Amino acid sequence: DAGITQSPRHKVTETGTPVTLRCHQTENHRYMYWYRQDPGHGLRLIHYSYGVKDTDKGEVSDGYSVSRSKTEDFLLTLESATSSQTSVYFCAISQWASDEQYFGPGTRLTVT
Amino acid sequence: GENVEQHPSTLSVQEGDSAVIKCTYSDSASNYFPWYKQELGKRPQLIIDIRSNVGEKKDQRIAVTLNKTAKHFSLHITETQPEDSAVYFCAARKAAGNKLTFGGGTRVLVKP
């Protein structure tokens, strides 16, 4: 597996609370991505980054923000968690835009 | 934007039989089509991919075919084994792009 870790691996939080998920890579890859996985929807892109401080929206970005202050870390923040954000969140990395994406182990988030 | 549809959503096969999963995409500008396998509780992992200048690609027991005119591509698994049981996702990406659009997934069960 590529050197990608996610933390926490599991989290239960209450509606309205802020939540930050972390993706850390040791591969020095330029691109980093956040996806959410829900039954029947496959993986849907939330946000991605193409360099330090360079980020852009994916198809389901509402309610999420991201930051990348270092090459190795990409943070996903839910400013005020809602039950509809209960999901499994995967981080992925790639060296170039046209390269294969490698996925992290995932974070299971439950919003009660 | 791109839309990828995947069928069937579940597939049960007898060990040794073949399995076929089909995906259709909407954007004719897409030119990269990867397939990911996700075992229960694990991260998605790339198993095979195809680019639009190729009609078919094989890797041991798995093969992918692409019909650009009809905008569909398929995954073929021959001589299925119990370890092939997993969820399989297709995806599509445009040339000069980095965003993958995933299908909804196919749960494959190989019965011994």
Side-chain angles (χ1 to χ4, degrees), chain A residues 1 31 33 35 37 40-43 45 48 57 90 97-101 103-105, chain B residues 32 36 38 41-46 51 89 93 97-105:
Chain A
D1 290 334
Y31 288 82
Y33 310 82
Y35 292 90
Q37 183 175 38
H41 290 278
L43 294 120
L45 182 65
Y48 69 97
K57 295 179 180 181
F90 284 98
S98 58
D99 281 353
E100 171 185 354
Q101 292 185 19
F103 284 84
Chain B
Y32 174 66
Y36 285 82
Q38 186 179 27
K42 304 289 187 182
R43 72 189 76 192
Q45 293 197 299
L46 181 76
R51 298 182 189 269
F89 294 98
R93 185 177 68 204
N98 64 307
K99 298 181 188 179
L100 283 175
T101 300
F102 284 85

Side-chain angles (χ1 to χ4, degrees), chain B:
Chain B
E2 174 69 278
N3 182 50
V4 178
E5 301 210 348
Q6 183 171 346
H7 299 280
S9 57
T10 58
L11 180 59
S12 182
V13 297
Q14 210 63 39
E15 183 178 357
D17 288 349
S18 295
V20 180
I21 304 169
K22 297 181 180 179
C23 289
T24 61
Y25 61 99
S26 61
D27 193 334
S28 56
S30 291
N31 75 335
Y32 174 66
F33 308 93
W35 286 88
Y36 285 82
K37 176 183 180 182
Q38 186 179 27
E39 296 175 354
L40 190 62
K42 304 289 187 182
R43 72 189 76 192
Q45 293 197 299
L46 181 76
I47 54 171
I48 196 167
D49 57 14
I50 192 167
R51 298 182 189 269
S52 62
N53 57 341
V54 176
E56 182 176 4
K57 185 176 178 181
K58 287 184 180 179
D59 183 2
Q60 299 182 340
R61 294 186 300 105
I62 60 173
V64 58
T65 58
L66 171 65
N67 183 328
K68 282 219 75 180
T69 302
K71 290 192 280 188
H72 67 72
F73 56 110
S74 300
L75 178 71
H76 304 253
I77 307 173
T78 58
E79 299 173 20
T80 53
Q81 300 169 4
E83 53 264 38
D84 295 328
S85 295
V87 178
Y88 293 80
F89 294 98
C90 63
R93 185 177 68 204
K94 285 195 248 189
N98 64 307
K99 298 181 188 179
L100 283 175
T101 300
F102 284 85
T106 298
R107 184 175 299 279
V108 174
L109 175 64
V110 180
K111 294 188 271 190

Side-chain angles (χ1 to χ4, degrees), chain A:
Chain A
D1 290 334
I4 314 169
T5 57
Q6 292 184 229
S7 58
R9 295 292 314 280
H10 301 271
K11 186 169 182 67
V12 180
T13 192
E14 292 184 349
T15 299
T17 59
V19 176
T20 295
L21 308 182
R22 180 183 183 233
C23 177
H24 178 79
Q25 59 143 331
T26 57
E27 305 295 325
N28 200 35
H29 280 10
R30 179 179 176 187
Y31 288 82
M32 299 185 75
Y33 310 82
W34 276 108
Y35 292 90
R36 60 177 289 173
Q37 183 175 38
D38 305 289
H41 290 278
L43 294 120
R44 291 180 291 175
L45 182 65
I46 304 171
H47 283 280
Y48 69 97
S49 169
Y50 48 97
V52 173
K53 298 193 189 311
D54 293 322
T55 64
D56 203 353
K57 295 179 180 181
E59 62 180 303
V60 290
S61 59
D62 287 349
Y64 302 95
S65 62
V66 290
S67 65
R68 190 169 179 200
S69 58
K70 299 186 289 185
T71 297
E72 57 266 35
D73 289 327
F74 192 32
L75 304 181
L76 177 71
T77 298
L78 291 65
E79 300 291 346
S80 177
T82 68
S83 58
S84 64
Q85 293 176 312
T86 292
S87 187
V88 180
Y89 291 86
F90 284 98
C91 172
I93 64 173
S94 67
Q95 177 61 289
W96 305 111
S98 58
D99 281 353
E100 171 185 354
Q101 292 185 19
Y102 298 93
F103 284 84
T107 294
R108 182 173 296 277
L109 176 67
T110 302
V111 183
T112 60

